[in-house]
Amino acid sequence: QVLLVESGGGLVQAGGSLRLSCAGSGRTFSTSAMGWFRQAPGKEREFVAVINWTGARALYADSVKGRFTISRGNGKSTMYLQMNSLKPEDTAIYYCAAGDFTDQIPKYDYWGQGTQVTVSS
């Protein structure tokens, strides 16, 4: 069974930081790009960041650029999202996914169940 499991979400005040983790199992993700997406209540799921399989390239949504940093673990089936200077508008369920190096949702084959991030003002 292929699984992606997110962790690290929670409640934080505006200006604070959180670090999300994503662990993959059931297959190797070492040659897949891995990305983060988020979905706020009443809104569509949106792209946050993606990192390629080597960890050498990354793309970010404009809304998080300069505040969030995506990285991969040494085993390449783990991924992290360091979120700094959090804003209330960052409140959402955050999902990790594995697939192509792109911001397009349909290009991702595997998805986690999500972790809630709530930023209070």
Side-chain angles (χ1 to χ4, degrees):
Q1 183 182 7
V2 178
L3 285 177
L4 289 172
V5 180
E6 304 94 338
S7 61
L11 173 64
V12 64
Q13 288 188 330
S17 299
L18 281 175
R19 189 190 194 212
L20 303 183
S21 300
C22 173
S25 63
R27 70 179 294 275
T28 179
F29 291 99
S30 60
T31 57
S32 298
M34 297 183 77
W36 289 99
F37 293 78
R38 66 186 182 186
Q39 188 166 15
K43 295 187 177 181
E44 293 186 351
R45 191 170 299 191
E46 65 175 7
F47 168 76
V48 175
V50 60
I51 190 165
N52 77 331
W53 70 278
T54 67
R57 296 177 63 198
L59 294 174
Y60 295 92
D62 288 344
S63 58
V64 306
K65 203 171 291 183
R67 299 188 298 122
F68 291 10
T69 302
I70 191 171
S71 62
R72 298 188 74 143
N74 290 334
K76 297 293 190 287
S77 289
T78 55
M79 176 180 62
Y80 308 98
L81 186 68
Q82 178 66 43
M83 305 186 295
N84 298 329
S85 302
L86 282 161
K87 305 175 181 180
E89 51 263 44
D90 294 318
T91 294
I93 298 174
Y94 283 70
Y95 299 90
C96 73
D100 291 346
F101 185 69
T102 178
D103 60 356
Q104 302 301 309
I105 290 175
K107 297 295 186 179
Y108 286 80
D109 301 311
Y110 302 98
W111 291 84
Q113 293 300 305
T115 185
Q116 176 71 47
V117 171
T118 303
V119 184
S120 63
S121 58

